[in-house]
Amino acid sequence: MTFLPTLKQLQYLAALHEHQHFGRAADACFVTQSTLSSGIRELETLLDAALVERTRRVVRFTPLGEKIARKAILVLREAEDLAALAQAEARPLTGEIRMGVIPTIAPFFLPKALPRLRASWPDLKLYLREETSASVCDALGRGQIDCVLLALPFPCGDVASVKLFRDYFHIAAHKDDIHGAGKVIHPEDIDTDRLLLLEDGHCLKEHALAACGRPEYRAETSVVGTSLHTLIQMVDNRLGTTLVPDMALKAGILNGTDVETRPIDGEKPFREIALVWRKSSPREEEFRLLAQALVDAASV
């Protein structure tokens, strides 16, 4: 008879692989450090192989340990999907859903959407994780979250998605700089030398460049910001112009500033907001219900 690792042992190993620190991994698993360490030693004894090199300062996985940790992540994801399948079959949109959201969506759309979700699905416990597109897509692939509220296009692995709505871009400038401009700004009239963009890691940067017809353009490090709010403050101080999505304008990002906007004329002056999940997830029907609820919230 083959003795198999327990899910608890695999959870300990996966947590150590993620955090690269016994104390932080133990905290993530809500156990003591000695309990986590013992669990991993039991796994090594069961497999008759060393998985982790233990030193005072660093945690280093052996080559076999790396392979088994990655496989453990997949096994845990499948086990979670198994439990989710039963729950979704019984009562959709109840219990927990862990959703990743990117920073250029979360503060502008969620305050509008979350109250409506609570009203429509009171038994849904929606846990949110706000990170850049690359980080939430990585978390989705690792099974750390269930779905992602994302702006497309963006490569997010082997996923399924539902497009929710288009979020159109506007050029934003100080009122004295945009005075006299037409009602619509043509992409060729955008001065890229004064264009302020988000730093690398935010997909809004690539979407904004595509919207203004300059996908090949890259901003210098001196003209990038860490958030849309920071960019608006820079524009308000007449340091340049930027592109702002419609949802941020509707959320009042320009309140208290002397910044004005104009819509952009072009072939595709928008980004697609979508709900994305793993193709292998058994909760597709639930995510489609969630997507429709988000569409309804956006349309109000």
Side-chain angles (χ1 to χ4, degrees):
M1 179 178 178
T2 302
F3 292 96
L4 299 176
T6 67
L7 290 179
K8 185 64 69 178
Q9 290 169 341
L10 297 183
Q11 285 175 328
Y12 292 164
L13 187 69
L16 184 61
H17 188 265
E18 177 183 359
H19 296 282
Q20 296 293 309
H21 186 276
F22 276 93
R24 290 193 293 270
D27 289 342
C29 295
F30 302 102
V31 298
T32 64
Q33 186 170 329
S34 61
T35 298
L36 182 132
S37 182
S38 296
I40 293 177
R41 287 191 183 279
E42 291 171 1
L43 178 61
E44 289 178 314
T45 299
L46 177 68
L47 299 177
D48 192 22
L51 305 179
V52 181
E53 297 178 18
R54 295 164 175 83
T55 69
R56 287 187 175 183
R57 295 187 176 181
V58 297
V59 172
R60 185 178 294 110
F61 278 72
T62 65
L64 178 61
E66 282 285 345
K67 293 178 182 178
I68 290 179
R70 289 195 292 269
K71 181 65 73 173
I73 292 169
L74 296 177
V75 171
L76 291 169
R77 193 176 75 187
E78 291 294 328
E80 289 178 354
D81 285 348
L82 185 149
L85 178 62
Q87 177 182 300
E89 188 72 18
R91 293 178 63 201
L93 290 184
T94 59
E96 298 181 3
I97 288 183
R98 302 162 299 173
M99 184 168 73
V101 192
I102 61 175
T104 56
I105 293 178
F108 310 116
F109 181 59
L110 292 183
K112 179 179 180 180
L114 291 181
R116 291 172 173 81
L117 285 177
R118 284 197 299 270
S120 301
W121 306 98
D123 294 327
L124 173 63
K125 296 179 181 178
L126 191 62
Y127 294 97
L128 302 174
R129 175 171 175 163
E130 182 180 338
E131 288 184 312
T132 60
S133 301
S135 295
V136 290
C137 284
D138 179 65
L140 181 66
R142 293 170 64 90
Q144 296 170 336
I145 54 178
D146 304 307
C147 59
V148 177
L149 194 55
L150 191 65
L152 302 178
F154 189 85
C156 201
D158 191 21
V159 297
S161 66
V162 171
K163 292 181 180 179
L164 308 180
F165 56 90
R166 291 179 175 180
D167 191 24
Y168 285 85
F169 283 104
H170 303 253
I171 190 76
H174 190 277
K175 65 181 182 180
D176 294 335
D177 294 333
I178 206 169
H179 180 70
K183 293 183 178 181
V184 176
I185 301 296
H186 298 283
E188 59 270 19
D189 294 330
I190 297 174
D191 184 359
T192 52
D193 290 335
R194 301 194 71 238
L195 187 61
L196 307 176
L197 299 169
L198 289 177
E199 61 186 356
D200 288 337
H202 293 271
C203 64
L204 185 70
K205 177 181 178 180
E206 306 303 324
H207 295 157
L209 290 171
C212 67
R214 311 291 175 84
E216 77 290 347
Y217 178 77
R218 292 295 180 272
E220 298 296 331
T221 56
S222 59
V223 293
V224 296
T226 56
S227 72
L228 270 174
H229 288 91
T230 300
L231 292 182
I232 292 301
Q233 291 304 310
M234 294 168 72
V235 172
D236 196 32
N237 283 277
R238 304 190 71 177
L239 297 177
T241 62
T242 193
L243 274 75
V244 183
D246 190 55
M247 69 166 61
L249 296 181
K250 291 178 178 177
I253 196 172
L254 301 186
N255 291 350
T257 72
D258 289 322
V259 177
E260 295 183 3
T261 64
R262 301 287 189 276
I264 300 173
D265 182 30
E267 182 178 344
K268 195 176 181 183
F270 58 84
R271 57 179 185 164
E272 295 273 9
I273 306 303
L275 187 68
V276 175
W277 62 89
R278 295 183 301 275
K279 282 186 177 179
S280 61
S281 174
R283 306 181 74 175
E284 178 177 351
E285 293 305 316
E286 279 194 289
F287 295 142
R288 292 190 180 278
L289 285 174
L290 178 59
Q292 185 57 55
L294 294 171
V295 169
D296 293 342
S299 63
V300 175

